[in-house]
Amino acid sequence: MDNLELSKKVCGLAASAYLANKHRGGKAGGEGVQYENWFAVYNAAKLVTDTIQNGLPAPLLSTQTMDFVDDFVILWNEDSCHQHFQLKNTENVSWSSGDHPIADDFRYQKLLNEGAGVGKTSATLVLPCPEKAGRLQKSMPEDISNYSAVEQFAFGETLNHLLQIEPKLRDALASLCVNADLDKIERLGSLFVGEWVSNCGTPCNLMDLWEGVLRHEPNYVRSLSRVDILEKFEAILMQIEGFHYTMGQGFFEWSYLESDSGVLEYSVGSEKFSEFQRIIVMEEPSTFEELERHLI
């Protein structure tokens, strides 16, 4: 049973008719959609590191789903947990105003998820103004408070502007970069936006989104996955006098005596680095002069 049919059963006919009308014809563009895209990118970037390094199952990310709280949704482990976010980049926001109050949307979403067998539901109202977010957190209706929250997230006219005023987005993207230069962070954010927008309308696996970003081969992204280093590769490099290397930031950085140094342009988690290892093992260079041509 899809959510629209289920809503008739668990929320009532009036609420179901409202849900159908809410999604009829899609959503127009403008600042509201842009705000949703920025917030989606922030969450995707934040989740990538945790998902890979902690070995967590990748969640599905969605927008404009057939839900009452639908601007952005994170679906964990099929139906174990759904996190819903409603974004309001407007002046007049309250829990109870209008024909369809936000608090009612949160209540209906909880009922809908329970009817669908979702184990845990959370609903979050996201606002750009810290003061307004604080007021709405304090005035939240008691009956929704055990599964609801209010979050502040800034709005910027451009990605560059937003990165300068929203540290949460900047930090999430910077955590994926070797160097936290604004230029590199903005480039990575733009790749995330492009991949996210191309998937809008259909649930997107977080790792599929991340792999789409990596297909552009950004050489400033640090490796997050465990790197398999061939034992013989290490042994060969260790016996080359005066040669040293590190891989602490996800890239192969090398130096020779005090006269030369460099960084391979691809990350240590890439297939290119695996091929580099195989070549070194096959050729077994014993001097820096024999190794040097593979470092260029």
Side-chain angles (χ1 to χ4, degrees):
M1 185 183 302
D2 64 27
N3 274 6
L4 189 57
E5 286 299 313
L6 181 61
S7 67
K8 296 177 183 177
K9 179 180 178 181
V10 299
C11 301
L13 294 178
S16 182
Y18 157 59
L19 179 62
N21 187 63
K22 178 181 173 76
H23 290 275
R24 188 170 290 120
K27 177 176 281 192
E31 289 189 356
V33 171
Q34 191 176 43
Y35 188 44
E36 293 169 19
N37 289 340
W38 297 155
F39 187 73
V41 166
Y42 156 62
N43 276 277
K46 181 176 64 171
L47 290 170
V48 162
T49 301
D50 288 342
T51 300
I52 294 176
Q53 294 189 335
N54 297 328
L56 300 175
L60 291 178
L61 311 180
S62 297
T63 183
Q64 303 309 313
T65 53
M66 187 58 71
D67 286 298
F68 291 96
V69 184
D70 64 337
D71 287 338
F72 181 64
V73 185
I74 305 173
L75 302 96
W76 290 96
N77 299 348
E78 296 181 353
D79 289 330
S80 66
C81 176
H82 288 190
Q83 295 174 273
H84 297 260
F85 299 86
Q86 199 72 33
L87 283 74
K88 295 292 184 183
N89 185 25
T90 57
E91 288 297 321
N92 299 315
V93 182
S94 77
W95 290 109
S96 57
S97 63
D99 295 334
H100 302 287
I102 295 171
D104 282 353
D105 282 346
F106 280 31
R107 295 181 183 108
Y108 285 138
Q109 190 62 58
K110 186 73 161 60
L111 290 172
L112 188 63
N113 284 2
E114 288 174 345
V118 175
K120 181 180 180 181
T121 295
S122 70
T124 302
L125 176 61
V126 183
L127 306 164
C129 175
E131 293 77 15
K132 191 176 297 180
R135 287 197 299 270
L136 284 165
Q137 181 67 49
K138 291 179 181 178
S139 64
M140 181 187 298
E142 186 175 353
D143 67 303
I144 66 171
S145 61
N146 64 336
Y147 60 88
S148 302
V150 179
E151 180 176 352
Q152 185 273 330
F153 185 80
F155 173 76
E157 295 291 341
T158 65
L159 179 58
N160 181 276
H161 177 219
L162 182 59
L163 287 170
Q164 295 181 59
I165 63 173
E166 181 48 84
K168 291 192 293 187
L169 175 62
R170 185 172 62 249
D171 291 348
L173 290 170
S175 71
L176 299 172
C177 295
V178 175
N179 297 308
D181 297 333
L182 182 60
D183 178 58
K184 302 293 192 301
I185 294 171
E186 185 176 1
R187 282 192 223 168
L188 181 59
S190 296
L191 292 178
F192 262 113
V193 171
E195 290 298 319
W196 173 249
V197 170
S198 70
N199 281 286
C200 276
T202 57
C204 174
N205 183 282
L206 175 66
M207 286 299 99
D208 290 342
L209 184 72
W210 180 234
E211 287 171 9
V213 169
L214 295 182
R215 275 195 292 272
H216 297 274
E217 297 189 352
N219 60 8
Y220 45 84
V221 171
R222 69 184 183 89
S223 176
L224 299 174
S225 56
R226 181 179 176 273
V227 180
D228 293 320
I229 303 299
L230 300 176
E231 186 175 341
K232 190 172 182 180
F233 171 80
E234 289 187 302
I236 291 170
L237 296 185
M238 285 178 63
Q239 57 85 38
I240 298 178
E241 188 175 350
F243 183 77
H244 302 279
Y245 70 92
T246 63
M247 293 182 288
Q249 294 296 322
F251 284 80
F252 185 88
E253 302 182 42
W254 61 268
S255 63
Y256 177 64
L257 299 176
E258 295 182 358
S259 60
D260 207 353
S261 63
V263 182
L264 293 185
E265 64 179 6
Y266 39 83
S267 75
V268 296
S270 67
E271 179 55 35
K272 288 184 178 180
F273 184 74
S274 297
E275 179 63 20
F276 170 67
Q277 288 193 79
R278 289 192 288 268
I279 291 172
I280 298 304
V281 169
M282 181 177 65
E283 297 192 4
E284 296 189 49
S286 59
T287 66
F288 178 71
E289 288 70 26
E290 293 175 354
L291 173 65
E292 186 175 18
R293 65 189 180 90
H294 299 299
L295 301 174
I296 300 174

